[in-house]
Structure formats: C-alpha cells, structure tokens
Amino acid sequence: MTDLIYLKDSYRKTLKTKILKAERKGDVLLVVPKDCIFYPQGGGQPSDTGRIKGKSSEARVLHARMSGGNVVLECSLTGTLNAGDAVECTVNWDRRFRNMRRHTAGHVIHEAVMSVTAGLTPLRADHGDNPFIEYAGSITRDKTDPIEVKANEIVARDLPVTAEFVSFDQLSEKAAFIPPHLPNNKPLRIVTIEGYRPVPDGGTQVSSTGEVGPIRITGIENRDDKVRVEYAINEESKTDTTQEEGGISAQEIISLLLEVQSSAFSLIDSHERSADDLRIRLLGSKSPLTGLTRKIRSIPKSDASRVGIVANEVKKSIEQKLSGYIRPELLNREAAASPDLPDSDTDRGYFDPTEPGSSPPVGHLHIVSQAITEITDIFARIGFSRVRHPEVDWDWYAFESLNMPLSHPARDEWETFFIEYPGTRPPEKGKFTRIVLTPHTSNGQVREMEKGELPIRMINIAKCYRRQSDVSHTPMFHQFEGLYVDRGVSIAHLKGVIMYFARSFYGSDREIRLRPFHFQFTEPSFEIDVSCGICHGKGVPPGGSVCRLCKSGWLELGGAGMVHPNVLKAAGIDPKIYNGFAFGWGVERTYMMKSGTKIDDLRILYGNDIRFLEQF
Ligand code: DAH
C-alpha cells in the first residue's frame, strides 16, 4: 500500500522513494510509488501533476488516482522505469499550492456559512477551477456580504489549520458532520481550523488560514432544495495555471496528446469501466486531454492552430471509439470514494445520442418501511399479529376510552390535531363527537378489544400526527403498539416480551430496564430503557469518556404498562377475569437507536432526498 505522504506533510515538494509497480498501458506508464507526495484526485480537489526522475529516465506525472490502497500515477515517459527503481519525485508546487489554498478557502467559507445561516447540511464541494460548496437547504442572496466578511475575518485571524488521523469512532465523536461517502481505501482524517469543530477531510491544506489570502463569494445559487456557494481566491499573484508545467513546447504537447490517445484506447479496450466512467475520465474537464488542450493557450499563436487540430482529432477519435462501446455497467467506485465531499460531476456537460442506455437505478424500501417489516416479523414469531386501525379516529378511541376524559390535563402531551366533522355536525354529547388525527397508536387498543375475540395479541403499526415540527419531531411519524389481553397476565410477561424484542432487534447482548412512570391507560406504568450498544450500559465507551450516544448507559425506548381496568371496561371486558399489558413506541426512534445514527434534524427522514435515504 502506498504511504500517503501528502496527507502527513502537505508542504513536501520532493521525495526520494521506490517504485512498487510499473506497468505500460499503451503509451502511458502506470506507476505505483512506495511513498507518495502527489495528491490523487478526489474529495473535490484536483489531482497533482509533477515529475518522477529515475537513474536514466524521467516521467511526467499527468494524473494521480487512488486504486485500492495505492496511488496510481499516470505518466508519460522517455526511457524506462521499472518496479524496484529508486526515484526522485517532484510535485508541481504552483498547482498544488493553489489547490491547497482553494481547498482551505472552502473550509473557511464553510465556517462562515455556518455562522451566518442555519439549517444547512453540507453535501459536496469542488475545489477545481470554479470552486463551490453545496448544501441541502437555501441561502438568501443578502447573506453574500456577511459570509464574505466572516470568511475574510477568519483569514485575517491567521488561525492554525491542523490535521489528525482518527478511527471511525473518534471521527463520529469529534466531527461537525459525517459526509455520506467516507473512503474505504484511505485513512480517516479530520482537519481543524483553530476554534472551530473538526471536519472530515483527506485533502491537502495550508497550515494557517492567512495563507489563503482574500476570499470573494462570487455567487449564491439556489436550485431545487440545494444551494451552491461559489467562491474565488486571489490566484494571479501566486500562480499562473496556464504556465504550470513551465514553458511546454508545441511538440511536447503533441506527443503528450498522442500518448493520451493511445492510453485512452487501451483503457477502453480493457473493458474495466462503465461507459459513463470512461467518458468522465477521458473527456471530462479534469481529464488529461482537457488539461493538455488548456495548455495550448500558453504556446505561441503560430503553433497553436497546428496543436489545436491534433487535440481535436484526438478528442474525436476517443469519442468515436466510445460511441461504439457496449459493455454492461461495471461501475468503478474508487474515484468516488473521496475523503470529504464527493467530486463534482459537472464535467458531464455533453450528450451523446448514440450512447448505449444505462440500467435504471435500483431502489429500496424507505428506512421506516424496512423497520416496520422487521418489527412485524419479530412479533409474528411470538404470535402477535399485525392489525390496522384508523389513523383518523374518534376522540373517544384516542383519549376517552383510554381513561382520559375531555378536560383531562394529560391530553396536553399529545399536541393533537382535531379535524372538522364532515357534513352534518356530530352530536354534542356521546362517544362519537370529535375526530382527531391519531396522536398515538393506542387508539387501536379498545378498537381491537371491541372485536370480541380473546385472547388478544396485536401489534398495531400506524402513522401518528402531532402539532410538532422541529429538529427532533416530525408532524407525522409512526408508532407500534403491542397489546396482550388474557387471563392471568403479569408484569413478568411484559418484561419477557420486551426483552425478547430488544434482543431480537438490537442484539443478544442487550439488557432492558423498567422505570416507574405514569400513563392514564396503564397501571402500573413504566418507561422502558435498552442498554446502549456502544458503551453496554456503562455510560463510558471502551477507551472514551462519556458515551456520546447515550450519555448514561441506557437509551429510552418508550412507554408500557399493565392495561388499566377502566380501559378494559370501556371495551366491555371484565377486568376481574381478564387483564393485559401494552406498550407503544416510535418506529423512527426505535430504528435510529439501532443503527446508532444521530440525525441532527429528524425531518430529513421525510424530505425525500435520495442521497440521504439511499444510505440505509
Ligand atoms: N401512547 C403512548 C404515547 O404515545 C405510549 C404508550 C405508553 C403506549 C404506555 C402504551 C403504553 O401502550 O402502555 O406516548
């Protein structure tokens, strides 16, 4: 595995190392170095370029990418380089330093955005030629100046920027957010601007914010429910991108173009990648071909047209070869496995009608549907059948039959939506007077008992509604309600069933505990806790301080208790003969506790953002 020196020391410009692997693919040499100072493209930061010098030959590094745990350098070459050769690597420092400054500028702007706005979730970033950061949410244009001012203030304070390698647990404990695609082929690292929360990052950064120089916010673009904050840094003074290879000649560009062409052909012929992936790699804005085409601007005008013709021919030939490319998708996800935010795909700005169709994306059930299926199956195994009861129901089933008459103060907790009675008004008095959107699934209890079949073993899973919408509440959510009514039911039965559920759902090492509580419809009533899966009920995870997930060793599942005699009576069941237990818990909450997922804003569950949902 390549040792990623650029991650440990972003200022390293030269390095002596050994070649682990060298393989010719057409005219391009693929080199895997033992230690690497070239940054491989990813996380929105473009690849480094540079040179590798062997004893008798020198290779130009055109592009670096990650493959498995190795860095692969795509090189043009005069002479030979072989596995085992000692080499000296030199990174194109102007280009790298510019990329580092752009990248750190992105982090500075992120902090500025966070301090000036609220409710945004970072999605991705691009630190290439048109850098931006993208968030889920929106920002009004009047925030442009405050963001710019705040960003430049962070720059002016010249705050140290430090990096630290971390385990996944440490990362989730310390980082301000966890991006959707953490790399599985690179070490995990967090980067901190002094005074701000660490951010997961695998790129190269300058060592203090002052090195970024003045930042301009060049645009705030809101589209659908996303917003891009576009920015620029001062680049003229530090580096001229067109001159970065230092006076390249027309002949050199032509020979590099031909190398690019034949390596593109052999990559296509290797049939290792999907058509989409090939297009981005070979023709996209970050491809070696586009890079070389840009360099034409830096050569004398008299040569430029000649080189331009070759560049066009090369492009056309690659396009033509690709248009006949028929290959079932074999997606290579390495390039997407980026350390912070995924690459931009804006370079796919063309349309080829001859391109073979790609297979439609395969979806899966929403997490809540998955949870419902799993919960239903677990209870089915011990004879609890899933039942359905109305989600728009009489107040009587939702409250009154549950020992909560109209004026009872306990009702306040349920923040209920009342809805108007359709048509003629209902009678003022009697059972069926008011209609509610069920604020809990407990309305199913008396309804199930009214069916008149005993014993009852039901699991009622349904939507519930409450007048609450904030980071920890959605106005619509789900509950599952268990009810067991029979002769001689005891708390021991309740404990046994809950223990069975907790261990089936969360894992066989889990414990439960009952805390005394109060509900109108159960006596005695309890709150049920499950031992935390991270610290195992201790409140302190292995090697850590206070457990970040539970803080106390236990996670709260929800309410339960022995069915109140008044509830049985309301359904016409004689409480002297029969009794029972019940419990009712939130599906979303129960499921989140399982994965240990901490969602900053629960409303995202129902925001229908595929990028969030496909992670589960
Ligand atoms: N319905 C209660 C709520 O929404 C939860 C609950 C507590 C249900 C105790 C029960 C129970 O069946 O026994 O908060």
Side-chain angles (χ1 to χ4, degrees):
M1 288 242 270
T2 311
D3 193 0
L4 311 178
I5 304 295
Y6 63 85
L7 274 185
K8 301 175 194 162
D9 179 2
S10 305
Y11 284 78
R12 187 85 190 237
K13 302 181 183 76
T14 59
L15 175 79
K16 290 202 164 93
T17 185
K18 240 173 54 186
I19 292 184
L20 290 182
K21 239 171 121 184
E23 184 192 342
R24 227 171 224 293
K25 276 251 160 118
D27 285 348
V28 168
L29 185 73
L30 303 178
V31 172
V32 175
K34 182 167 169 295
D35 312 289
C36 187
I37 51 171
F38 302 106
Y39 180 76
Q41 182 160 324
Q45 182 177 325
S47 155
D48 277 338
T49 57
R51 283 162 205 279
I52 313 178
K53 237 176 151 168
K55 241 199 199 142
S56 57
S57 55
E58 180 168 314
R60 211 184 264 272
V61 178
L62 302 172
H63 190 77
R65 62 181 157 87
M66 209 71 199
S67 177
N70 287 324
V71 178
V72 177
L73 306 172
E74 298 175 6
C75 305
S76 72
L77 174 73
T78 30
T80 52
L81 279 178
N82 296 308
D85 283 2
V87 286
E88 182 166 38
C89 303
T90 309
V91 80
N92 176 347
W93 179 247
D94 281 352
R95 177 184 164 96
R96 152 67 83 72
F97 190 59
R98 178 202 66 198
N99 289 343
M100 277 162 61
R101 289 175 53 239
R102 281 180 184 168
H103 197 149
T104 307
H107 287 243
V108 168
I109 291 164
H110 171 70
E111 298 307 344
V113 167
M114 287 293 127
S115 71
V116 170
T117 63
L120 296 171
T121 313
L123 295 176
R124 62 183 178 143
D126 193 309
H127 312 297
D129 284 340
N130 300 303
F132 63 81
I133 316 175
E134 194 174 76
Y135 297 90
S138 67
I139 307 178
T140 49
R141 287 248 164 88
D142 59 358
K143 292 283 186 326
T144 313
D145 284 348
I147 293 173
E148 189 172 291
V149 168
K150 182 73 196 170
N152 283 298
E153 183 194 308
I154 299 173
V155 169
R157 285 167 64 202
D158 198 17
L159 301 169
V161 180
T162 49
E164 190 190 339
F165 291 96
V166 287
S167 66
F168 180 78
D169 282 351
Q170 290 166 324
L171 183 139
S172 43
E173 189 181 326
K174 294 183 176 177
F177 61 90
I178 303 180
H181 305 283
L182 277 173
N184 52 12
N185 58 356
K186 287 188 190 177
L188 295 175
R189 204 181 63 152
I190 46 177
V191 162
T192 312
I193 298 178
E194 193 181 80
Y196 292 91
R197 285 194 64 190
V199 171
D201 183 89
T204 56
Q205 306 280 347
V206 293
S207 61
S208 73
T209 56
E211 289 190 71
V212 170
I215 290 175
R216 267 171 304 121
I217 303 298
T218 52
I220 292 196
E221 299 301 329
N222 289 288
R223 208 185 311 145
D224 302 329
D225 43 8
K226 287 180 251 162
V227 58
R228 273 187 187 184
V229 180
E230 299 167 350
Y231 66 94
I233 56 169
N234 226 343
E235 296 188 1
E236 298 78 43
S237 55
K238 312 251 175 181
T239 156
D240 175 356
T241 54
T242 58
Q243 298 290 325
E244 66 197 12
E245 289 290 343
I248 191 164
S249 71
Q251 202 43 51
E252 259 180 309
I253 298 184
I254 290 179
S255 55
L256 284 173
L257 280 167
L258 297 176
E259 283 176 14
V260 163
Q261 182 188 42
S262 69
S263 75
F265 281 12
S266 40
L267 195 63
I268 298 171
D269 288 337
S270 74
H271 284 247
E272 279 169 2
R273 294 169 193 281
S274 70
D276 270 358
D277 191 19
L278 285 171
R279 242 165 237 289
I280 294 169
R281 270 166 197 277
L282 303 177
L283 300 167
S285 69
K286 290 168 194 159
S287 64
L289 176 62
T290 310
L292 284 172
T293 311
R294 281 200 199 107
K295 286 190 183 18
I296 300 175
R297 281 182 250 152
S298 67
I299 57 172
K301 275 227 168 79
S302 49
D303 290 331
S305 63
R306 180 164 66 95
V307 182
I309 291 169
V310 179
N312 266 340
E313 285 303 315
V314 168
K315 186 170 180 200
K316 263 201 255 158
S317 68
I318 296 175
E319 277 172 349
Q320 204 173 2
K321 195 161 170 74
L322 267 176
S323 68
Y325 186 80
I326 302 171
R327 164 94 189 153
E329 299 304 28
L330 212 159
L331 276 181
N332 182 317
R333 297 199 177 275
E334 283 156 10
S338 59
D340 47 9
L341 301 169
D343 273 0
S344 155
D345 57 5
T346 46
D347 32 9
R348 305 161 77 178
Y350 50 84
F351 168 66
D352 179 356
T354 61
E355 187 181 350
S358 51
S359 32
V362 179
H364 64 67
L365 289 179
H366 188 280
I367 17 173
V368 172
S369 303
Q370 289 179 40
I372 290 175
T373 311
E374 195 176 340
I375 293 165
T376 309
D377 288 350
I378 290 175
F379 282 106
R381 274 182 250 140
I382 52 169
F384 281 65
S385 325
R386 180 167 181 199
V387 296
R388 304 300 294 257
H389 289 295
E391 292 169 355
V392 181
D393 206 354
W394 297 107
D395 179 289
W396 195 80
Y397 288 108
F399 290 114
E400 284 172 65
S401 67
L402 297 174
N403 207 18
M404 282 187 280
L406 196 56
S407 54
H408 201 285
R411 283 172 164 241
D412 289 356
E413 276 176 44
W414 276 270
E415 302 271 1
T416 314
F417 286 108
F418 286 86
I419 66 169
E420 283 184 358
Y421 187 83
T424 36
R425 288 199 64 75
E428 280 305 313
K429 285 209 165 95
K431 272 187 181 177
F432 305 132
T433 52
R434 281 178 185 72
I435 302 174
V436 298
L437 295 187
T438 49
H440 55 178
T441 41
S442 305
N443 69 312
Q445 290 195 17
V446 169
R447 279 195 173 271
E448 188 66 21
M449 295 181 207
E450 281 180 345
K451 286 183 182 168
E453 286 166 33
L454 287 166
I456 292 170
R457 273 187 241 101
M458 79 153 196
I459 194 86
N460 173 30
I461 312 183
K463 293 192 188 70
C464 302
Y465 304 85
R466 293 188 193 176
R467 284 185 294 119
Q468 287 177 329
S469 178
D470 54 44
V471 289
S472 47
H473 296 94
T474 50
M476 186 283 299
F477 59 101
H478 297 76
Q479 281 191 346
F480 60 110
E481 182 96 9
L483 176 70
Y484 177 39
V485 180
D486 202 350
R487 290 166 198 258
V489 180
S490 74
I491 296 178
H493 294 118
L494 169 66
K495 279 182 77 171
V497 167
I498 292 175
M499 178 79 94
Y500 159 78
F501 172 74
R503 293 194 171 164
S504 312
F505 194 71
Y506 294 111
S508 55
D509 57 340
R510 295 301 186 94
E511 296 297 337
I512 59 154
R513 73 175 183 190
L514 275 58
R515 278 182 290 115
F517 205 73
H518 174 79
F519 294 103
Q520 279 296 113
F521 34 93
T522 43
E523 182 57 39
S525 304
F526 309 102
E527 283 268 283
I528 310 292
D529 295 338
V530 181
S531 59
C532 169
I534 291 190
C535 69
H536 300 288
K538 295 194 182 67
V540 179
S545 48
V546 178
C547 179
R548 192 168 171 253
L549 184 66
C550 68
K551 299 206 171 70
S552 63
W554 296 88
L555 295 159
E556 193 182 305
L557 199 51
M562 302 305 291
V563 180
H564 197 288
N566 288 352
V567 177
L568 295 166
K569 274 190 219 156
I573 294 177
D574 184 350
K576 291 200 193 82
I577 306 175
Y578 289 97
N579 69 340
F581 68 70
F583 55 87
W585 306 325
V587 172
E588 292 82 351
R589 190 187 153 69
T590 305
Y591 190 71
M592 289 299 142
M593 276 165 55
K594 177 175 180 156
S595 61
T597 311
K598 275 208 156 180
I599 295 186
D600 287 343
D601 188 341
L602 211 63
R603 290 170 291 193
I604 196 169
L605 280 175
Y606 296 110
N608 282 345
D609 187 332
I610 292 288
R611 291 160 305 178
F612 168 75
L613 295 173
E614 67 189 0
Q615 298 172 70
F616 297 93

